[in-house]
Amino acid sequence: MSEIIIFAEIDGDGLHSTAGELISAGKKLAADTGNVVSAALIGGNQDLASQLISLGADKVYLANDDAIQKGVADAYLAALHKICINAEPTVVITSKTPIGRAVGPRLAYRLGSGIAQDCMDVSVDGDSGRVTATRPVYGGNAMAKFTFADKDPQVVIMRLKAFEALEPDSSRSGEVIEFELSLDDSDIKSKLVETVKEESEGVRLEDAAVIVGMGRGLGGPAPFSQLEELAKIFNGAVGASRAVCDAGWLDHSYQIGLTGKTVTPDVYITVGISGASQHMAGCSSSKNIVAINKDGDANIFKEASFGVVGDWEKVLPAFTETARELLES
Amino acid sequence: MSLNIIVCAKQVMDPETPLSAFHVDEAAKRVLPAQGIPPVVNGFCENAVEAALKIKEAAGDATITIISLGNNFVMDVMKKPLSMGADQMILIQDPAAENLDALGTATVLSKAIEKIGTVDIVICGQQASDWDNAHVPLGISEMLGMACLSEARSIDLGDGTVTVASSRSDGYDVFEAPLPCLITVSNEIGEPRYPTLRGIMQASRKSPETWTLNDLDLSESDVSPVLTLSELFIPASNRQCEIIEGEDDADSGRLLALKLREEKII
Ligand SMILES: Cc1cc2nc3c(=O)[nH]c(=O)nc-3n(C[C@H](O)[C@H](O)[C@H](O)COP(=O)(O)OP(=O)(O)OC[C@H]3O[C@@H](n4cnc5c(N)ncnc54)[C@H](O)[C@@H]3O)c2cc1C
Ligand SMILES: Nc1ncnc2c1ncn2[C@@H]1O[C@H](COP(=O)(O)O)[C@@H](O)[C@H]1O
């Protein structure tokens, strides 16, 4: 039976949160094609392999090699390539993480097959039996569906959190295959010299339940402290538009959007953000979007569920004060 | 020794095109050119030109060649990298290359790079703001068998090697690779410089070379698609925004908080 292979990444000592999401995406395709879902676990161990099975994988390729260096795409690519040559999967799925978005495309080109990046959904085309991938294009202004021609594997790169992981169930069964890699020096051209952590205080944007978004409409870096004050009331975090980061008001690690972070808070409160499609690409899955903007025609009001058309300098202090009173009472 | 740097630059629809001017022909599965808004050189490609110019300044001696594959090139637009200071430009234009997918695009660009000859560094943007593929350069590196470092926020040239920093969610990673190497750059590499008057004058005297698929020994069958566009549409927004209006802005802010509380959002 042919396979769908997902690239299961490791984060620290555990599985990366995307591993379960990719298994769910694979299972959606498998339901229509009768394929099995296999996970490629590169540089992992038996314990992580069992976790993948409890998340729904039918099979795990457990592949290790001394040449695998965390964070370096080359080794993961060489390993995944070997697994694919051996298993001849019809579909390979990686996630849009730094490693996943480097490895997925390079694998596709190495094998001469098609690749769709930043996918929000995947399905099987009823007529051809081939995969159809849904993804935003033109900065999110348009949505496209791409269908793969007859060349396998069909390589899909999923947007983070596009699928939800299944609840782990240890009664699920699957097969673990120890895969011999024997990577060659020539497989690995680049090396990781160092990893530099830039510590930011407080809650990580990706984990925050409430995010306050800073836009160019704030006019300069100074209002940041007011946004931070609001975020703190909810134990939330401050994010920003690219315009704010490019202007140097905040570091690029604050950037939300197509080329910044993807966030999915319960509430995203935008202040002085116009709601350009490239910004919305990173936050449109927020449960609620709230907008404070002086321009009633701004695109953000097409995306928000509640908003005030007004000057942030007047709106925000009153909003913050009332929110604080409400949360304290 | 002189360095050979190639920058791949794409002409795209201006991504700042207002939504009101953004239209899709759903039947033809095509984005219609925005009326009266000229195309631009893709933003990340301008960052790539800037990165190449910085490397040239640091190395002293280098030749920067811009290559672009496309149709309906607007010469005033495409000359910008030359006005910024690039040395020469090759435009690849062919009716048979009108609707290439990413694999076809990477095939043509890598053939062009091979034809140019010895290359030390290929620099690309991380993503083109039309199809947002963010992988054509990775394909070029595979086809040319080059080392590949993506999403650089800084580039430092060593002796036969290159060191690149790439942002991560909590900091950055520093990678090293041997030359020749393909690098994609993010906007964090730095704002593209403005062309100087002298740059514009020099660029006006340069005429880009034009190549067709034939010049690259490629035929239509070498670039047949592996991915086809089956649908293209403008997503409908299903959110309805409730605008909160108070007596003045401050009052609206207060009412907004009360409303969010009432709706159990905060
Ligand atoms: C390839 C590409 C990738 C991109 N990636 C990203 C990305 O990842 N993230 C991102 O954010 N952008 C990205 N962009 C940029 C994006 O297109 C927009 O330019 C950017 O998001 C605009 O930021 P902004 O909303 O803060 O600024 P603006 O668009 O300038 O909006 C400012 C808003 O503030 C309002 N305002 C002004 N004064 C006040 C006031 N006193 N009170 C209240 N409101 C006020 C204005 O009405 C306006 O709506 C990308 C662009 C491209 C081409
Ligand atoms: N038609 C093209 N001509 C020149 N360069 C291109 C072309 N398509 C893609 N590129 C390069 O690849 C980068 C990423 O594009 P993409 O993978 O299409 O998102 C761009 O920033 C360019 O550097």
Side-chain angles (χ1 to χ4, degrees):
Chain A
M1 202 188 305
S2 63
E3 299 180 34
I4 292 168
I5 294 185
I6 68 114
F7 172 37
E9 287 181 56
I10 297 168
D11 184 14
D13 295 329
L15 288 177
H16 195 279
S17 59
T18 55
E21 298 170 15
L22 296 189
I23 292 174
S24 296
K27 283 185 108 62
K28 179 178 179 197
L29 296 176
D32 287 341
T33 53
N35 287 330
V36 300
V37 177
S38 310
L41 180 61
I42 299 161
N45 55 40
Q46 286 287 347
D47 180 42
L48 297 180
S50 315
Q51 288 182 36
L52 288 165
I53 290 170
S54 69
L55 286 164
D58 301 304
K59 211 196 257 188
V60 178
Y61 293 101
L62 178 55
N64 278 298
D65 193 288
D66 290 342
I68 295 165
Q69 194 190 8
K70 250 200 159 104
V72 180
D74 293 3
Y76 293 104
L77 169 64
L80 201 55
H81 182 235
K82 289 207 166 161
I83 294 171
C84 286
I85 296 282
N86 188 271
E88 299 187 346
T90 54
V91 182
V92 174
I93 313 179
T94 75
S95 72
K96 200 192 164 194
T97 54
I99 289 290
R101 63 179 183 255
V103 167
R106 288 173 66 188
L107 177 75
Y109 286 100
R110 197 168 278 193
L111 295 167
S113 63
I115 177 251
Q117 162 99 288
D118 196 17
C119 301
M120 319 262 290
D121 198 10
V122 281
S123 58
V124 176
D125 177 55
D127 296 335
S128 62
R130 304 297 291 170
V131 172
T132 296
T134 307
R135 52 177 303 257
V137 295
Y138 282 82
N141 282 333
M143 202 54 108
K145 291 190 179 184
F146 289 97
T147 304
F148 287 82
D150 283 334
K151 178 83 172 84
D152 284 340
Q154 308 162 79
V155 181
V156 171
I157 299 177
M158 292 304 306
R159 179 173 283 202
L160 271 65
K161 300 189 185 164
F163 278 81
E164 219 169 295
L166 298 173
E167 277 302 316
D169 176 354
S170 56
S171 70
R172 289 197 179 102
S173 62
E175 183 190 1
V176 179
I177 297 166
E178 300 228 16
F179 191 89
E180 191 65 46
L181 279 178
S182 347
L183 295 183
D184 198 86
D185 275 353
S186 66
D187 288 327
I188 292 140
K189 296 205 172 75
S190 51
K191 62 169 192 252
L192 181 66
V193 184
E194 63 173 329
T195 290
V196 181
K197 294 265 179 258
E198 290 172 322
E199 286 303 333
S200 55
E201 300 163 30
V203 191
R204 276 167 24 112
L205 264 181
E206 294 92 326
D207 303 331
V210 177
I211 296 177
V212 181
M214 177 167 177
R216 178 150 55 193
L218 274 74
F224 173 71
S225 57
Q226 289 185 54
L227 299 195
E228 214 176 18
E229 189 192 332
L230 175 60
K232 278 209 177 112
I233 297 176
F234 307 108
N235 194 26
V238 177
S241 71
R242 175 168 152 183
V244 164
C245 301
D246 279 354
W249 302 350
L250 288 179
D251 188 83
H252 273 102
S253 61
Y254 286 89
Q255 184 180 321
I256 292 172
L258 185 67
T259 48
K261 292 182 176 164
T262 302
V263 297
T264 51
D266 294 334
V267 198
Y268 181 39
I269 304 166
T270 67
V271 190
I273 288 182
S274 63
S277 58
Q278 295 91 351
H279 183 75
M280 299 322 291
C283 60
S284 56
S285 305
S286 307
K287 282 213 191 86
N288 291 285
I289 296 176
V290 175
I292 299 173
N293 191 306
K294 70 172 184 191
D295 173 9
D297 291 330
N299 191 56
I300 191 71
F301 291 111
K302 297 202 178 73
E303 309 272 350
S305 31
F306 296 96
V308 167
V309 179
D311 185 352
W312 73 270
E313 283 195 70
K314 308 255 167 41
V315 181
L316 189 67
F319 177 76
T320 305
E321 194 190 306
T322 314
R324 180 181 289 116
E325 284 165 10
L326 287 169
L327 268 88
E328 278 169 1
S329 66
Chain B
M1 202 193 66
S2 177
L3 271 182
N4 276 311
I5 306 175
I6 289 181
V7 177
C8 299
K10 188 177 192 189
Q11 175 179 298
V12 295
M13 175 189 230
D14 189 340
E16 306 276 335
T17 301
L19 284 176
S20 56
F22 184 87
H23 300 292
V24 163
D25 178 343
E26 290 191 11
K29 292 176 278 197
R30 204 160 78 79
V31 173
L32 299 170
Q35 287 299 317
I37 302 172
V40 295
V41 175
N42 180 48
F44 290 120
C45 298
E46 289 191 358
N47 294 118
V49 176
E50 177 62 33
L53 291 166
K54 285 211 185 93
I55 294 174
K56 178 170 175 163
E57 281 158 5
D61 188 11
T63 305
I64 302 175
T65 307
I66 310 289
I67 58 175
S68 188
L69 165 68
N71 286 290
N72 306 317
F73 284 117
V74 177
M75 226 25 115
D76 283 349
V77 169
M78 286 313 292
K79 279 211 166 171
K80 183 162 178 198
L82 291 176
S83 331
M84 286 170 69
D87 299 286
Q88 57 196 40
M89 172 173 256
I90 295 160
L91 300 177
I92 308 158
Q93 211 169 354
D94 196 311
E98 194 110 358
N99 291 307
L100 294 186
D101 66 358
L103 182 67
T105 304
T107 304
V108 175
L109 291 173
S110 52
K111 274 281 186 186
I113 293 170
E114 270 174 357
K115 184 176 159 98
I116 290 167
T118 37
V119 174
D120 300 292
I121 309 177
V122 179
I123 310 182
C124 294
Q126 81 172 48
Q127 171 164 344
S129 59
D130 46 10
W131 296 101
D132 293 317
N133 281 319
H135 54 66
V136 164
L138 310 192
I140 297 172
S141 78
E142 283 297 320
M143 290 170 186
L144 297 175
M146 273 185 193
C148 175
L149 296 174
S150 38
E151 298 168 27
R153 69 180 217 179
S154 69
I155 305 174
D156 286 297
L157 202 61
D159 187 14
T161 62
V162 63
T163 306
V164 151
S166 303
S167 286
R168 296 292 175 251
S169 65
D170 54 354
Y172 59 94
D173 282 347
V174 181
F175 298 98
E176 189 189 280
L179 298 181
C181 181
L182 180 140
I183 302 168
T184 79
V185 301
S186 80
N187 52 305
E188 289 179 66
I189 202 106
E191 290 275 324
R193 67 193 62 189
Y194 286 104
T196 58
L197 196 57
R198 186 158 157 267
I200 295 170
M201 296 294 288
Q202 279 173 342
S204 71
R205 282 192 294 270
K206 288 178 185 160
S207 39
E209 241 180 273
T210 48
W211 291 354
T212 60
L213 290 196
N214 201 20
D215 294 317
L216 300 171
D217 293 327
L218 286 172
S219 68
E220 218 168 328
S221 63
D222 296 317
V223 290
S224 52
V226 287
L227 201 63
T228 50
L229 185 59
S230 43
E231 254 180 79
L232 185 69
F233 55 96
I234 295 181
S237 159
N238 47 11
R239 302 205 195 204
Q240 264 290 334
C241 187
E242 186 174 331
I243 302 286
I244 311 294
E245 264 184 88
E247 283 168 14
D248 55 25
D249 282 357
D251 193 38
S252 305
R254 193 180 65 83
L255 293 178
L256 176 65
L258 291 171
K259 181 72 187 176
L260 296 182
R261 185 62 171 187
E262 187 190 318
E263 299 280 337
K264 300 197 170 59
I265 291 173
I266 60 171

